[in-house]
Every structure is written in C-alpha cells, then in structure tokens.
Amino acid sequence: MNALHDLRLVRPSSIDDAVRALAEDGARPLAGGTDLLPNLRRGLGEPRKLVDLGAIAGLAAIESGADGGLRLGAGVTLAALAGDERVRSGWPALAHAAGLVAGPTHRATATLGGNLCQDTRCIFYNQSDWWRAGNGYCLKYRGDKCHVVVKSDRCYATYHGDVAPALIVLGAAAEIAGPGGRRTIPLADLFVEDGACRLTLEAGEWLTGVAVPPPGRWRAAYEKARVRDAVDFPLAGIAVAMERDGDRIAGLRVAITGTNSAPLVVPTDALVGAVWDAAAAQALEKAVRATSNVLATTVATVRYRRRVLQALTRKLASELWAGSDRAATPTR
C-alpha cells in the first residue's frame, strides 16, 4: 500500500454546498469510502480534495412516496437498505441484492451512492503502484494499452455492483446534482460501457438519490455466482423483473452485472406477449449471452461464467413466472 498523498477534506452541510465544493478541479466525493480509500492507498488517483457528504441532512434517508414508491438517499448504507421493512416487503429483490454485497462490516459503512458509482475492477488495475509500473500501467490509469484486450481502444475493466441491476429492472431513476442544476435520468443511463469512463456524470455532478417506483404487478429477483458466499464480487450476476398477465408475459426486464464494464440491460421486447416456456427460456438465454462480454478471471473460466449467467437467468425467470416471492439465495 502507498502512503496517502496530501489532500484537503471538506464537509459541506447541504447539497448546494457540496455541488460548489465538487465543482473545483481535483475534488472527489467521499461517503463510506469502502471503494475510494483502498484505491487511493494503491495510488489509484490523486485528488486534491475529498468532499465528505456525511453531514448533509436527509442524504441517508429512506422515504415513502405519495405514489407508493420510494426515495433512497445516496447516503443510505447498504445495511440499512437491506434491513428496512418497507424495502423488504415491497421490493425484496433490492433488499436481497444489498444484503449480498461484501460482508456485514462493509455494508454497515458502504453507501448506496458509492456502491452504484463504484470503480470498475481489473487484475491489471487493482494492484500496487510498483506492480502496475512494472507492467507499463494500463489504459484505465496512466497507461495507453489495455492488457486484457491488447488491441482494444477502450478499457475492459469490469463493473461488479450488485445493487445496480436490481434497481434497473425495478425501473429506478437516478437523481443528480451539479453545477448546471439538478436532473433525473433512468438509472441505466447513469452507466457507460467503458471501464475507464464508467459514468455519464458531467464534471462536478454527483448522485444524490434514487427514486424507485411502486412495484405494481411486477415481481423481481436478483442472484449472483461467486466463489465464497460472502465478501466476493459477483463472477456473474442477474436481475430479472417480470409482470405476468394470465398465460402471457406482460412485461420483462433483465439486467446483468459482473461481466461487462457496466451493468447492462438485456433486450427482451421480443418475449413480451409470449408464454414462458422452453423456447422463451432459450431465447432469453441467447439474448443474455449476446449482451454479456465475459472474460476469463483468475478463479473462473469464460465458459463457466457464461453458462452460470444463462442458468441463473432461466432459474429466476422461471421462479418469477411461477409467482415466487422468494428472495433468491446466493449460488456458488
């Protein structure tokens, strides 16, 4: 680990004050710090100022909306999100996904905003500075070449967040504040599939909260594959939301994580109006495979990760079709 470089810490008390602080060159937001601080200790980034968001009133609130939806402040901890009875009863897939992140001590500190905006990861990036220097650095930071896909013109570092795909299939929206004012976008539009430039936030913008619509007739589930049942990032993760009308699929949303540089939406329009049967399952698996860009890791082959992703998709969709309210359990 490197010694931290000199930097300044400020602690604004309002969203507007935070916007002004983050508009300065070299400023980075700080919430739980479970992702940012280990990276800084590895020499991954040298911000001149950290803007501690912990003193902003309401940023850690979970609020019920008049329409039956939820508003989640970006400062809500993952432990609070996983344990909130309103979330557990109305949006169990979201509570389950939050409860699968890392370990209990991480979830007690890590925040929703930090988890959604977490850095992408790669074996050539998440290393000490001397190790990265010995390899000529990489396209993501200080270098000019992706060591994973050597002839690539973009970074293939992978996004491993669990909460994002669950929120995406639930139809959530991201609330953003910045120098140009405040705006709301579909959560899926917060991400871009480039490991080095992973978010669509403009300079000085930051995520202030997430709005989740009422579930209506939608049922949703999230599940991931990992080596250990705690701590590990997903080797492959899948969120599925389904609305059933009699013997037809009235709505279907699918999002994947752990395989690409962003949590991605899988195209499912062709299955809306169909019956969930073997043919539909095969078509959905094919769409998931076409959307994912699975690469080998130090613990799993491409073939395993691709097959487990497809198998989890079929499993969750079949359970939702059958009307299961069960929160999916982790799969090795």
Side-chain angles (χ1 to χ4, degrees):
M1 290 286 186
N2 296 353
L4 280 176
H5 62 282
D6 290 337
L7 47 78
R8 188 159 59 99
L9 179 71
V10 298
R11 190 172 167 85
S13 58
S14 71
I15 289 178
D16 290 340
D17 287 345
V19 166
R20 284 188 285 272
L22 287 166
E24 295 182 23
D25 228 13
R28 291 281 302 275
L30 171 67
T34 56
D35 188 52
L36 175 62
L37 295 182
N39 277 354
L40 294 183
R41 290 297 302 271
R42 291 190 177 103
L44 297 171
E46 294 184 349
R48 292 193 289 272
K49 179 171 71 173
L50 294 183
V51 181
D52 184 351
L53 306 174
I56 299 176
L59 201 65
I62 299 176
E63 301 171 327
S64 299
D67 64 348
L70 284 178
R71 187 195 176 275
L72 309 171
V76 172
T77 66
L78 298 181
L81 186 60
D84 188 274
E85 285 305 318
R86 290 164 295 181
V87 181
R88 292 170 65 89
S89 60
W91 299 265
L94 174 57
H96 182 66
L100 290 180
V101 176
T105 55
H106 289 83
R107 294 192 294 272
T109 304
T111 63
L112 172 63
N115 187 262
L116 292 174
C117 298
Q118 67 182 261
D119 203 0
T120 51
R121 305 183 66 81
C122 174
I123 190 174
F124 290 97
Y125 173 71
N126 297 97
Q127 302 287 351
S128 64
D129 185 69
W130 67 263
W131 192 97
R132 288 180 288 114
N135 284 276
Y137 295 102
C138 70
L139 190 60
K140 183 170 171 63
Y141 189 62
R142 290 185 178 174
D144 58 6
K145 180 174 72 174
C146 177
H147 296 294
V148 176
V149 183
V150 178
K151 295 183 179 180
S152 171
D153 59 354
R154 78 161 177 91
C155 169
Y156 278 80
T158 310
Y159 181 88
H160 289 274
D162 293 296
V163 179
L167 282 170
I168 287 171
V169 301
L170 290 171
E175 299 175 354
I176 297 165
R182 303 190 188 189
R183 62 190 179 103
T184 301
I185 60 173
L187 186 68
D189 293 346
L190 178 65
F191 306 97
V192 60
E193 197 180 6
D194 185 325
C197 305
R198 66 195 189 281
L199 301 173
T200 58
L201 297 175
E202 301 291 339
E205 285 190 327
W206 58 287
L207 180 71
T208 61
V210 174
V212 188
R217 296 192 303 167
W218 288 88
R219 295 177 182 271
Y222 173 75
E223 192 163 349
K224 69 176 178 180
R226 53 183 170 175
V227 175
R228 296 172 292 184
D229 282 346
V231 181
D232 285 357
F233 290 101
L235 292 169
I238 185 82
V240 181
M242 183 183 289
E243 182 182 13
R244 179 174 177 174
D245 184 9
D247 63 352
R248 300 288 171 181
I249 299 171
L252 182 62
R253 302 176 188 144
V254 177
I256 59 175
T257 188
T259 59
N260 294 59
S261 294
L264 295 183
V265 175
V266 177
T268 57
D269 288 348
L271 291 172
V272 175
V275 176
W276 179 253
D277 55 15
Q282 186 175 24
L284 182 56
E285 288 181 15
K286 184 177 180 180
V288 166
R289 176 167 181 160
T291 303
S292 64
N293 183 38
V294 182
L295 300 172
T297 73
T298 55
V299 297
T301 65
V302 170
R303 183 181 181 188
Y304 170 79
R305 296 179 72 201
R306 183 182 293 129
R307 292 186 68 178
V308 76
L309 182 65
Q310 292 175 286
L312 289 177
T313 304
R314 178 189 286 257
K315 175 176 176 286
L316 292 189
S318 296
E319 290 177 351
L320 292 171
W321 176 259
S324 173
D325 286 317
R326 180 184 64 82
T329 54
T331 297
R332 292 182 183 271

